[in-house]
Amino acid sequence: MMRTLTVSRFLTLLLYAVPSLYLALRSNILLSEIALTLSSISEGAEPSTVRVPNESRRKRHASLPNGLAHCINSFEQYPFLAEQIIQRKYGRFAKQTPAQKALSNKLGYAEHFTKAREGIETNAQFTNKVARIAREKYHTGPQALGATDDADFGLVDMTFGHLSRDWTSQGTRERQAVFPPILDGLNRHFNVNGNSKKVLVPGSGMGRLASDIADLGYDVTANEMDYSSILTYHLLANHTTSLHQHSLQPFVTKWTHQANPSSRYSTLTLPDHWPNKAVQLVEGDFLDIFPQDSKFDAVVTLFFIDMANNTIDFLSNIHRLLKPGGVWINLGPLKWGTHSALQLSTEEVLQLADLLGFDVDHTSRKSIDSLYAEQPETLLKFTYVTQFWQATKRM
Ligand SMILES: C[S@@+](CC[C@H](N)C(=O)[O-])C[C@H]1O[C@@H](n2cnc3c(N)ncnc32)[C@H](O)[C@@H]1O
């Protein structure tokens, strides 16, 4: 009996160890980290996949911009982190009785593990490319930029969602709900004469809105401080030679809320449109990266103002950066974080805008239902009732 238990424990460990070792060696992970992961698996602990880098780790990469090393590390470790998720699913599947397993196999369930691993491989080709190009751009050298437990699966997963929203044809529906009111607002304000008008898009994410505004002839500055978006946009804008060049299976680890078995393996190709190379992407915090006052004719905020620790800072800065008579166009939810000093209603945000020196065009206001970075075929969707308005800086 004891011997059978030992053999079965050994086989279980082997099941976990082989893919872990394979992926770890591909990702240059230290052997000590593999040992740590295996020991946590053998103890039955669920290894955490979402970690925030601590201060001492940050200091090791003081020469790199804040968050860059963590981001590159997360992209490099993606296959390992995704494999952990599949292993946990397999662990639960394998615990079924033989009769239950036989039934599950009749559904073809075991094939999901093979297919998911193929999808992870597809995604890893993309994440490795992002990381390699980032290492070249920021001259990181070849050294490891973090440990396995300093990598964040959620960061890569969100990147896939943002990519799908901005740069795939599957994201068209999402974009169609929120881009036209903004583009129309700009064209109305400038009488369709965008040439040479300077537009700032802070919190530009993956950059599609900024690119579409530039396509209309505006002189666009995009601004972003999150490196998962900055690095991925860099790959699309500067290291992509054909449309639909890159493939992703963003949902391979998401097995809940699916109507069809195949939805988990939907393949998206990107980019579906060329990023406009005239867009200037400024990396850094919008609050301190633009020293010059009255620089822009328009500031466009899409799903952005509720990211503020203090919305007075954001609105004051938008006001400071606009030329007198310049327009602020906003579309987004008011999903204030728990860190926000103020969690204002729409009416309060607009009163605040008035107090800070904006003339709010109340006739422009509307509510627009919008999804955000959703899997197109999921059975669970969150709808934001986004708030749209235009306001001009008082002369
Ligand atoms: C919810 S996302 C929206 C992204 C994009 N506008 C869209 O609609 O897809 C908000 C973005 O704002 C960025 N962000 C938040 N605070 C920022 C700041 N102070 N400076 C620059 N970017 C910021 C975040 O990194 C994130 O990419």
Side-chain angles (χ1 to χ4, degrees):
M1 177 70 175
M2 186 66 194
R3 194 181 143 78
T4 323
L5 268 179
T6 313
V7 169
S8 82
R9 193 173 172 77
F10 173 75
L11 285 174
T12 311
L13 264 177
L14 201 66
L15 178 82
Y16 284 122
V18 171
S20 296
L21 275 169
Y22 163 70
L23 289 164
L25 291 171
R26 281 196 42 208
S27 325
N28 298 326
I29 296 166
L30 296 174
L31 279 173
S32 59
E33 287 159 12
I34 301 170
L36 200 98
T37 308
L38 287 177
S39 74
S40 74
I41 290 167
S42 71
E43 282 160 18
E46 291 232 331
S48 168
T49 53
V50 180
R51 295 280 168 91
V52 175
N54 66 27
E55 270 316 298
S56 64
R57 281 180 182 136
R58 280 218 170 100
K59 284 195 188 103
R60 282 203 314 227
H61 308 292
S63 61
L64 298 177
N66 208 1
L68 175 63
H70 176 62
C71 188
I72 293 177
N73 191 38
S74 300
F75 279 114
E76 287 177 347
Q77 311 273 354
Y78 163 79
F80 185 67
L81 300 173
E83 173 62 25
Q84 286 180 341
I85 292 174
I86 300 305
Q87 283 177 6
R88 288 205 291 277
K89 290 184 196 299
Y90 189 80
R92 292 187 288 266
F93 168 79
K95 271 191 202 144
Q96 295 183 108
T97 63
Q100 288 170 333
K101 256 192 244 168
L103 271 175
S104 311
N105 285 339
K106 279 198 179 145
L107 301 177
Y109 197 85
E111 278 171 38
H112 287 312
F113 299 99
T114 315
K115 285 193 187 152
R117 290 194 167 106
E118 286 165 9
I120 290 171
E121 185 63 40
T122 300
N123 295 341
Q125 284 177 21
F126 183 82
T127 57
N128 280 336
K129 228 178 279 171
V130 175
R132 182 170 45 74
I133 288 166
R135 278 180 176 274
E136 280 164 25
K137 179 169 157 68
Y138 295 93
H139 311 289
T140 66
Q143 85 273 21
L145 293 176
T148 337
D149 67 351
D150 183 29
D152 183 349
F153 176 82
L155 177 152
V156 183
D157 195 40
M158 266 317 281
T159 302
F160 291 167
H162 285 137
L163 273 170
S164 164
R165 167 179 169 81
D166 272 20
W167 295 108
T168 72
S169 37
Q170 284 83 348
T172 308
R173 237 183 97 213
E174 245 180 60
R175 296 194 299 272
Q176 274 305 314
V178 293
F179 284 18
I182 293 173
L183 302 177
D184 292 349
L186 278 172
N187 279 342
R188 258 199 318 274
H189 185 82
F190 294 111
N191 291 324
V192 198
N193 181 15
N195 279 341
S196 81
K197 297 293 180 203
K198 287 185 183 308
V199 179
L200 173 66
V201 185
S204 52
M206 286 290 163
R208 179 63 180 263
L209 177 65
S211 177
D212 284 10
I213 296 173
D215 286 351
L216 296 177
Y218 293 92
D219 174 0
V220 180
T221 303
N223 160 238
E224 180 53 63
M225 68 179 201
D226 172 49
Y227 277 95
S228 57
S229 293
I230 294 169
L231 301 182
T232 315
Y233 179 78
H234 179 56
L235 169 72
L236 295 183
N238 304 316
H239 292 268
T240 297
T241 49
S242 57
L243 291 178
H244 301 283
Q245 178 180 336
H246 311 287
S247 294
L248 273 184
Q249 293 189 24
F251 319 115
V252 280
T253 52
K254 298 187 201 315
W255 294 16
T256 56
H257 308 297
Q258 307 295 333
N260 299 302
S262 59
S263 315
R264 303 169 177 99
Y265 313 110
S266 302
T267 301
L268 313 184
T269 58
L270 53 141
D272 67 325
H273 181 84
W274 281 115
N276 190 314
K277 290 208 181 219
V279 172
Q280 194 204 349
L281 174 62
V282 175
E283 298 170 21
D285 189 332
F286 148 78
L287 289 176
D288 48 44
I289 203 80
F290 300 105
Q292 190 191 326
D293 295 352
S294 306
K295 188 174 158 71
F296 295 99
D297 298 289
V299 174
V300 170
T301 50
L302 175 65
F303 277 77
F304 178 65
I305 61 167
D306 53 353
M307 305 295 290
N309 285 337
N310 187 325
T311 193
I312 297 178
D313 287 337
F314 268 28
L315 267 56
S316 307
N317 205 38
I318 293 170
H319 186 268
R320 179 183 70 80
L321 290 170
L322 276 173
K323 295 175 183 170
V327 67
W328 169 33
I329 300 183
N330 177 74
L331 192 156
L334 296 177
K335 187 185 172 189
W336 309 109
T338 46
H339 54 272
S340 295
L342 300 166
Q343 298 180 319
L344 302 178
S345 65
T346 310
E347 299 303 330
E348 288 165 322
V349 173
L350 294 177
Q351 269 176 35
L352 175 63
D354 182 64
L355 290 170
L356 290 172
F358 284 102
D359 284 327
V360 177
D361 174 3
H362 287 274
T363 63
S364 70
R365 290 177 57 185
K366 52 191 156 195
S367 295
I368 298 167
D369 285 357
S370 158
L371 305 176
Y372 189 86
E374 288 284 4
Q375 177 182 3
E377 295 166 90
T378 180
L379 299 180
L380 178 68
K381 297 187 193 230
F382 289 103
T383 302
Y384 292 97
V385 183
T386 63
Q387 302 295 292
F388 176 90
W389 62 76
Q390 285 185 216
T392 45
K393 177 170 172 171
R394 237 170 258 141
M395 299 289 233

